[in-house]
Amino acid sequence: MIRDIRTADDVLSMLDRLFAADADRWTPNAATWWDRFYSDRSTQIPFFVAKPDESLVSYLERGLLAPGRALDLGCGPGRNAIHLASLGFEVDAVDLSPAAVTWGEERAREAGVEVRFHRGDIFSVALPPGQYDLVYDSGCLHHLPPHRRVSYLSLLDRLLVPGGQLALTCFAAGAMGSELSDEEFYRQGRLDGGLAYTPEALRWIFSDFTEVESRPMKEQSPDAPVFGVPFLLAALFRRPETSSAARTEP
């Protein structure tokens, strides 16, 4: 007989275990899967290109983001982290995959910029609290199971400065990703490759933040200097200058 649930974190870990092992894309156990994903750099994966997201570039060009300290969650080979560093941001970048981190480090050296890469899951990597002006997420949130949104919001509470911003891209409902209800994912024990979101869903999840912009990503041609695919939703949120009470989840 096992009675090992005592804290909120114990509950979250138990919910993690409800999913089939091959559905895992967010815990340290998933590093091997992502390493295989990144093993062949010549594979025609859209975001393997060394280009920043068009939405990120747009925010910067319009003055919606200003240089400061940035964190790239699920950074992959570092294309957005490197772009931010090239513009004067102090950048940390996190990914589960050693293969992705190695590739990102190589790209950063080639670009002549400094990015601090960290290998691990976003919820356990040691990062300085209350130091980040920007958290950037290009494709991390939609690989998290519903209960880990609690952890994600707690992470933002812990890391963002008051008035700091979250910019993200995720699967857009009606274009890519699963549109099953949150409850149904636990019944089937897998995430169907990732969760789709609507602008309304993102507004609800980040309702403690102020929405700056939410729109479909603009499709880009192969020779464009930026990355853009129409099946992603891009959104920018700002944390209030005075934060609310801390969340109970560690």
Side-chain angles (χ1 to χ4, degrees), residues 152-223:
Y152 191 96
L153 289 167
S154 180
L155 185 75
L156 297 179
D157 279 349
R158 188 167 70 249
L159 297 181
L160 274 176
V161 301
Q165 292 173 281
L166 165 70
L168 63 87
T169 68
C170 61
F171 290 152
M176 181 169 281
S178 176
E179 299 187 30
L180 292 175
S181 68
D182 284 350
E183 185 176 343
E184 187 60 32
F185 291 117
Y186 297 92
R187 291 197 178 99
Q188 67 174 16
R190 51 188 65 249
L191 300 178
D192 290 342
L195 282 62
Y197 287 89
T198 63
E200 293 74 22
L202 293 181
R203 289 184 193 114
W204 167 246
I205 293 164
F206 301 109
S207 55
D208 291 340
F209 289 60
T210 299
E211 180 186 4
V212 178
E213 182 173 283
S214 179
R215 62 170 175 81
M217 182 175 264
K218 297 176 182 177
E219 187 170 13
Q220 304 294 311
S221 65
D223 58 349

Side-chain angles (χ1 to χ4, degrees), residues 13-34:
S13 295
M14 179 193 69
L15 291 171
D16 285 341
R17 296 192 297 272
L18 293 182
F19 289 88
D22 62 356
D24 184 1
R25 301 289 183 272
W26 70 96
T27 78
N29 295 327
T32 301
W33 189 94
W34 286 111

Side-chain angles (χ1 to χ4, degrees), residues 58-66 165 212-213 236 238:
S58 174
Y59 303 148
L60 292 161
E61 289 180 344
R62 288 182 287 151
L64 298 178
L65 300 175
Q165 292 173 281
V212 178
E213 182 173 283
L236 178 64
R238 180 179 293 110

Side-chain angles (χ1 to χ4, degrees), residues 1-2 13 17 35 37 51 71-72 74 96-97 105 123 140 143 156-157 163 180-181 193 203 207 209 237:
M1 183 177 69
I2 298 175
S13 295
R17 296 192 297 272
D35 275 349
F37 183 80
K51 303 175 183 181
L71 171 64
D72 188 355
L96 274 174
S97 166
E105 290 171 338
F123 303 125
C140 182
H143 286 301
L156 297 179
D157 279 349
L180 292 175
S181 68
R203 289 184 193 114
S207 55
F209 289 60
F237 295 91

Side-chain angles (χ1 to χ4, degrees), residues 125-143:
V125 168
L127 296 165
Q131 297 294 310
Y132 293 97
D133 303 287
L134 170 67
V135 170
Y136 194 73
D137 171 353
S138 186
C140 182
L141 177 68
H142 60 222
H143 286 301

